[in-house]
């Protein structure tokens, strides 16, 4: 069970929030203040009888644990559930890591997913209908944040490929754009107008069709915790964490590359591709090594976060054509 004590693995704020460093100090302080007011409230603890057995949300919990796909092996230990569920980036709930309590305000039912743009037929689908039609499995994946911390998580979900089959994009569609919910009443971060809400991310259709691309619906053999992006989040483990958009409400297929959330804020620091690469430093820090949360260790960063075998082929042609590739 999670507790309210400050975990000893927590890293210093200055180290933990480089993605927010572009903001001036005053705005940042306001952000943190708003976050602490919320966390001081009496929001329910995770797992503390969250939903009664009759709700759709509780019924969906019967889908877990799903069978593990043993094809995906790790070179490190799985990060403890406590760390992965209490050290999070979810700017909708604050620009610091301790948002897990504030995120319990998120209501994941009813939850409607819109599939639109360049598809055979635009549709709106209820989350539980979608979950029922998708083959769920568990995979152990590394996760690497652009801030140079890393974890390893047992995600449950379905392949992005099965979502493509469901959505049926038409010829000419090149990108899948994903959007997070937008609700200032629930997410205090969204009252901060200097951010381009809602959070938006995109990958190419080829990337989405890659065997590694998943839509996460659970973690650690259970329903996805809200702070980790319930009920649907993107999992593309060879890319930096900021691509892995949480709490998705919309998939739009298009032939135009959109500007994603962080790219709009700071294009020189957060490019479209965002593939993990030890040789391409962030303008403000090195990406050569990463901190493995919970271990006190720093280890070398691996190209494509260790998934070169599966994804390097996607980028051979693109790298020749694009001057800026990061
Ligand atoms: N909607 C939304 N999705 C998001 C973010 C966010 O702030 N908002 N942060 C991203 C970043 S920077 C990271 S590292 C991962 C963190 O996922 P985790 O908290 O499950 O480890 O979520 C990504 N998805
Ligand atoms: Mo991140």
């Amino acid at each position: 069970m999670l507790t309210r004590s400050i975990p000893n693995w927590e890293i210093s704020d200055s180290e933990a929030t480089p993605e927010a460093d572009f903001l001036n100090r005053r705005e940042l302080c306001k952000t943190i203040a708003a976050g602490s007011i919320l966390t001081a409230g009496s929001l329910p603890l995770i797992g503390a009888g969250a939903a009664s057995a009759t709700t759709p949300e509780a019924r969906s919990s019967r889908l877990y644990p799903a069978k593990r796909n043993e094809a995906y092996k790790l070179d490190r230990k799985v990060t403890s559930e406590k760390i992965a569920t209490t050290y999070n980036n979810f700017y909708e709930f604050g620009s610091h890591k301790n948002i897990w309590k504030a995120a319990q305000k998120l209501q994941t039912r009813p939850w409607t997913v819109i599939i639109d743009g360049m598809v055979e037929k635009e549709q709106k689908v209820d989350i539980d209908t979608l979950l029922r039609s998708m083959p769920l499995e568990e995979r152990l994946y590394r996760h690497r944040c652009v801030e140079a911390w890393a974890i390893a998580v047992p995600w449950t979900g379905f392949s992005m490929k099965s979502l493509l089959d469901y959505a049926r994009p038409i010829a000419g569609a090149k990108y899948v754009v994903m959007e997070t919910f937008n609700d200032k009443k629930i997410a205090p971060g969204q009252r901060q107008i200097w951010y381009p809400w809602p959070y938006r991310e995109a990958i190419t259709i080829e990337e989405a069709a890659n065997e590694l691309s998943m839509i996460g619906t659970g973690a650690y053999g259970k329903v996805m915790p809200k702070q980790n992006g319930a009920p649907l989040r993107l999992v593309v483990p060879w890319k930096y964490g900021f691509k892995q958009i949480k709490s998705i409400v919309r998939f739009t297929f298009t032939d135009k590359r959109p500007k994603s959330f962080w790219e709009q804020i700071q294009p020189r620091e957060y490019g479209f591709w965002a593939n993990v690469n030890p040789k391409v430093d962030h303008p403000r820090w090195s990406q050569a090594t990463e901190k493995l949360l919970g271990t006190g260790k720093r280890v070398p960063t691996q190209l494509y976060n260790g998934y070169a075998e599966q994804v390097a082929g996607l980028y051979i042609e693109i790298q020749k054509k694009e001057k800026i590739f990061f």
Side-chain angles (χ1 to χ4, degrees):
M1 193 61 34
L2 298 164
T3 66
R4 277 153 193 263
S5 61
I6 294 162
N8 57 12
W9 41 261
E10 204 162 61
I11 58 180
S12 74
D13 246 356
S14 58
E15 213 178 335
T17 57
E19 281 171 349
D21 283 354
F22 66 92
L23 296 173
N24 72 41
R25 207 53 215 163
R26 229 176 90 238
E27 285 166 335
L28 197 61
C29 290
K30 271 194 276 175
T31 311
I32 290 163
S36 11
I37 290 162
L38 248 161
T39 48
S42 58
L43 294 163
L45 292 173
I46 311 159
S52 92
T54 53
T55 65
E57 194 164 21
R59 281 199 298 276
S60 88
S61 73
R62 290 178 200 150
L63 300 168
Y64 308 89
K67 194 174 180 325
R68 181 174 297 175
N69 182 336
E70 300 288 352
Y72 302 95
K73 303 257 189 271
L74 290 176
D75 59 346
R76 54 194 68 178
K77 284 206 189 99
V78 167
T79 304
S80 79
E81 183 176 357
K82 181 169 171 177
I83 292 177
T85 58
T86 58
Y87 183 91
N88 302 99
N89 268 337
F90 203 162
Y91 277 66
E92 284 80 347
F93 296 100
S95 57
H96 50 90
K97 300 294 179 272
N98 188 24
I99 54 77
W100 67 271
K101 271 179 264 174
Q104 303 315 305
K105 262 211 163 174
L106 178 64
Q107 293 306 310
T108 57
R109 294 296 186 289
W111 192 276
T112 306
V113 179
I114 297 172
I115 297 173
D116 64 358
M118 296 175 73
V119 287
E120 275 175 32
K121 190 171 171 287
E122 296 193 331
Q123 41 180 330
K124 276 187 187 173
V125 56
D126 172 68
I127 180 71
D128 293 298
T129 309
L130 185 66
L131 283 175
R132 269 197 301 277
S133 38
M134 292 293 157
L136 296 189
E137 63 178 49
E138 182 180 75
R139 296 187 189 182
L140 306 180
Y141 273 173
R142 290 181 285 276
H143 173 97
R144 172 60 152 80
C145 176
V146 72
E147 298 163 333
W149 53 266
I151 52 178
V153 181
W155 298 114
T156 307
F158 52 86
S159 69
M160 212 36 199
K161 180 73 176 57
S162 33
L163 186 81
L164 293 180
D165 294 342
Y166 188 92
R168 287 178 282 126
I170 57 172
K174 292 197 176 82
Y175 302 93
V176 194
V177 188
M178 288 149 280
E179 243 174 58
T180 296
F181 72 87
N182 198 10
D183 187 345
K184 293 189 197 48
K185 290 192 291 296
I186 286 167
Q190 292 182 331
R191 289 179 214 139
Q192 288 153 353
I193 50 152
W194 55 89
Y195 288 113
W197 306 113
Y199 201 101
R200 187 174 291 115
E201 260 307 339
I203 57 175
T204 65
I205 304 249
E206 287 74 37
E207 289 176 324
N210 186 272
E211 59 159 305
L212 288 179
S213 298
M214 265 180 110
I215 295 293
T217 64
Y220 294 89
K222 289 172 261 184
V223 173
M224 185 70 77
K226 293 178 178 182
Q227 62 271 34
N228 294 95
L232 294 177
R233 60 91 55 89
L234 182 64
V235 182
V236 281
W238 71 98
K239 290 182 181 286
Y240 288 119
F242 68 87
K243 293 294 291 186
Q244 314 200 19
I245 180 171
K246 295 177 168 178
S247 306
I248 301 168
V249 293
R250 185 171 183 181
F251 295 90
T252 305
F253 291 81
T254 167
D255 55 2
K256 288 177 199 66
R257 188 191 297 181
K259 283 241 186 309
S260 54
F261 183 80
W262 287 106
E263 200 183 0
Q264 282 182 63
I265 295 167
Q266 195 45 278
R268 285 178 299 114
E269 301 192 355
Y270 309 106
F272 174 78
W273 299 103
N275 294 322
V276 175
N277 189 337
K279 296 210 174 93
V280 179
D281 286 339
H282 186 280
R284 291 183 279 127
W285 59 87
S286 163
Q287 295 290 22
T289 62
E290 62 198 30
K291 184 170 184 160
L292 275 184
L293 295 189
T295 68
K297 278 191 221 140
R298 243 179 205 284
V299 298
T301 302
Q302 300 174 51
L303 181 63
Y304 297 114
N305 204 19
Y307 296 103
E309 193 188 317
Q310 290 93 338
V311 300
L314 287 170
Y315 304 107
I316 294 164
E317 288 309 308
I318 297 166
Q319 265 171 300
K320 287 183 201 156
K321 276 185 244 149
E322 294 202 24
K323 271 199 218 107
I324 302 165
F325 182 77
F326 63 89

